[in-house]
PDB file of all heavy atoms in Angstrom:
ATOM      1  N   SER A1060       4.009  -1.961  10.095  1.00 94.00           N
ATOM      2  CA  SER A1060       3.681  -0.556  10.408  1.00 94.00           C
ATOM      3  C   SER A1060       4.861   0.207   9.641  1.00 94.00           C
ATOM      4  O   SER A1060       5.946  -0.329   9.546  1.00 94.00           O
ATOM      5  CB  SER A1060       3.883  -0.358  11.871  1.00 94.00           C
ATOM      6  OG  SER A1060       4.186   1.010  12.138  1.00 94.00           O
ATOM      7  N   THR A1061       4.580   1.420   9.233  1.00 89.00           N
ATOM      8  CA  THR A1061       5.571   2.233   8.668  1.00 89.00           C
ATOM      9  C   THR A1061       6.551   2.740   9.697  1.00 89.00           C
ATOM     10  O   THR A1061       7.626   3.219   9.395  1.00 89.00           O
ATOM     11  CB  THR A1061       4.943   3.413   7.927  1.00 89.00           C
ATOM     12  OG1 THR A1061       3.753   3.940   8.819  1.00 89.00           O
ATOM     13  CG2 THR A1061       4.396   3.065   6.537  1.00 89.00           C
ATOM     14  N   HIS A1062       6.152   2.650  11.014  1.00 89.00           N
ATOM     15  CA  HIS A1062       7.001   3.146  12.016  1.00 89.00           C
ATOM     16  C   HIS A1062       7.644   2.117  12.950  1.00 89.00           C
ATOM     17  O   HIS A1062       8.545   2.494  13.737  1.00 89.00           O
ATOM     18  CB  HIS A1062       6.225   4.128  12.960  1.00 89.00           C
ATOM     19  CG  HIS A1062       5.675   5.184  12.092  1.00 89.00           C
ATOM     20  ND1 HIS A1062       6.348   6.257  11.519  1.00 89.00           N
ATOM     21  CD2 HIS A1062       4.349   5.497  11.808  1.00 89.00           C
ATOM     22  CE1 HIS A1062       5.577   7.041  10.880  1.00 89.00           C
ATOM     23  NE2 HIS A1062       4.301   6.705  11.073  1.00 89.00           N
ATOM     24  N   ALA A1063       7.293   0.886  12.851  1.00 86.00           N
ATOM     25  CA  ALA A1063       7.873  -0.211  13.665  1.00 86.00           C
ATOM     26  C   ALA A1063       8.117   0.171  15.034  1.00 86.00           C
ATOM     27  O   ALA A1063       7.125   0.432  15.821  1.00 86.00           O
ATOM     28  CB  ALA A1063       9.179  -0.781  12.971  1.00 86.00           C
ATOM     29  N   THR A1064       9.342   0.383  15.416  1.00 92.00           N
ATOM     30  CA  THR A1064       9.771   0.619  16.939  1.00 92.00           C
ATOM     31  C   THR A1064       9.102   1.863  17.418  1.00 92.00           C
ATOM     32  O   THR A1064       8.738   1.924  18.684  1.00 92.00           O
ATOM     33  CB  THR A1064      11.290   0.730  16.955  1.00 92.00           C
ATOM     34  OG1 THR A1064      11.844  -0.432  16.496  1.00 92.00           O
ATOM     35  CG2 THR A1064      11.783   1.045  18.425  1.00 92.00           C
ATOM     36  N   ASP A1065       8.910   2.851  16.647  1.00 94.00           N
ATOM     37  CA  ASP A1065       8.324   4.117  17.154  1.00 94.00           C
ATOM     38  C   ASP A1065       6.805   4.219  17.031  1.00 94.00           C
ATOM     39  O   ASP A1065       6.249   5.250  17.222  1.00 94.00           O
ATOM     40  CB  ASP A1065       8.954   5.349  16.409  1.00 94.00           C
ATOM     41  CG  ASP A1065      10.492   5.291  16.449  1.00 94.00           C
ATOM     42  OD1 ASP A1065      10.980   5.009  17.604  1.00 94.00           O
ATOM     43  OD2 ASP A1065      11.041   5.707  15.438  1.00 94.00           O
ATOM     44  N   ALA A1066       6.147   3.131  16.630  1.00 95.00           N
ATOM     45  CA  ALA A1066       4.726   3.240  16.325  1.00 95.00           C
ATOM     46  C   ALA A1066       3.904   3.646  17.388  1.00 95.00           C
ATOM     47  O   ALA A1066       3.007   4.496  17.166  1.00 95.00           O
ATOM     48  CB  ALA A1066       4.220   1.785  15.905  1.00 95.00           C
ATOM     49  N   ALA A1067       4.168   3.329  18.594  1.00 96.00           N
ATOM     50  CA  ALA A1067       3.320   3.682  19.705  1.00 96.00           C
ATOM     51  C   ALA A1067       3.434   5.226  20.004  1.00 96.00           C
ATOM     52  O   ALA A1067       2.462   5.912  20.230  1.00 96.00           O
ATOM     53  CB  ALA A1067       3.537   2.867  20.934  1.00 96.00           C
ATOM     54  N   ALA A1068       4.744   5.651  19.991  1.00 97.00           N
ATOM     55  CA  ALA A1068       4.865   7.140  20.157  1.00 97.00           C
ATOM     56  C   ALA A1068       4.355   7.965  19.048  1.00 97.00           C
ATOM     57  O   ALA A1068       3.763   9.009  19.305  1.00 97.00           O
ATOM     58  CB  ALA A1068       6.450   7.404  20.351  1.00 97.00           C
ATOM     59  N   VAL A1069       4.720   7.592  17.858  1.00 97.00           N
ATOM     60  CA  VAL A1069       4.191   8.400  16.717  1.00 97.00           C
ATOM     61  C   VAL A1069       2.643   8.305  16.730  1.00 97.00           C
ATOM     62  O   VAL A1069       2.037   9.397  16.552  1.00 97.00           O
ATOM     63  CB  VAL A1069       4.638   7.727  15.403  1.00 97.00           C
ATOM     64  CG1 VAL A1069       3.932   8.383  14.146  1.00 97.00           C
ATOM     65  CG2 VAL A1069       6.195   7.867  15.171  1.00 97.00           C
ATOM     66  N   GLY A1070       2.104   7.198  17.104  1.00 97.00           N
ATOM     67  CA  GLY A1070       0.640   7.185  17.280  1.00 97.00           C
ATOM     68  C   GLY A1070       0.072   8.030  18.328  1.00 97.00           C
ATOM     69  O   GLY A1070      -0.992   8.627  18.224  1.00 97.00           O
ATOM     70  N   ALA A1071       0.825   8.150  19.379  1.00 98.00           N
ATOM     71  CA  ALA A1071       0.351   9.055  20.484  1.00 98.00           C
ATOM     72  C   ALA A1071       0.225  10.458  20.045  1.00 98.00           C
ATOM     73  O   ALA A1071      -0.751  11.134  20.427  1.00 98.00           O
ATOM     74  CB  ALA A1071       1.314   8.799  21.691  1.00 98.00           C
ATOM     75  N   ALA A1072       1.221  10.890  19.244  1.00 97.00           N
ATOM     76  CA  ALA A1072       1.212  12.223  18.693  1.00 97.00           C
ATOM     77  C   ALA A1072       0.052  12.374  17.775  1.00 97.00           C
ATOM     78  O   ALA A1072      -0.654  13.293  17.727  1.00 97.00           O
ATOM     79  CB  ALA A1072       2.526  12.523  18.007  1.00 97.00           C
ATOM     80  N   ALA A1073      -0.216  11.377  16.891  1.00 96.00           N
ATOM     81  CA  ALA A1073      -1.268  11.325  15.991  1.00 96.00           C
ATOM     82  C   ALA A1073      -2.660  11.439  16.683  1.00 96.00           C
ATOM     83  O   ALA A1073      -3.656  12.129  16.236  1.00 96.00           O
ATOM     84  CB  ALA A1073      -1.293  10.228  15.059  1.00 96.00           C
ATOM     85  N   LEU A1074      -2.712  10.692  17.828  1.00 96.00           N
ATOM     86  CA  LEU A1074      -4.021  10.826  18.662  1.00 96.00           C
ATOM     87  C   LEU A1074      -4.317  12.253  19.085  1.00 96.00           C
ATOM     88  O   LEU A1074      -5.370  12.634  18.985  1.00 96.00           O
ATOM     89  CB  LEU A1074      -3.769   9.870  19.860  1.00 96.00           C
ATOM     90  CG  LEU A1074      -4.971   9.632  20.707  1.00 96.00           C
ATOM     91  CD1 LEU A1074      -5.957   8.625  19.901  1.00 96.00           C
ATOM     92  CD2 LEU A1074      -4.629   8.997  22.001  1.00 96.00           C
ATOM     93  N   VAL A1075      -3.296  12.863  19.459  1.00 96.00           N
ATOM     94  CA  VAL A1075      -3.442  14.374  19.798  1.00 96.00           C
ATOM     95  C   VAL A1075      -3.872  15.212  18.666  1.00 96.00           C
ATOM     96  O   VAL A1075      -4.880  16.022  18.850  1.00 96.00           O
ATOM     97  CB  VAL A1075      -2.147  14.922  20.383  1.00 96.00           C
ATOM     98  CG1 VAL A1075      -2.218  16.447  20.556  1.00 96.00           C
ATOM     99  CG2 VAL A1075      -1.728  14.196  21.669  1.00 96.00           C
TER     100      VAL A1075
END
Side-chain angles (χ1 to χ4, degrees):
Chain A
S1060 162
T1061 39
H1062 302 293
T1064 301
D1065 302 323
V1069 171
L1074 190 72
V1075 171

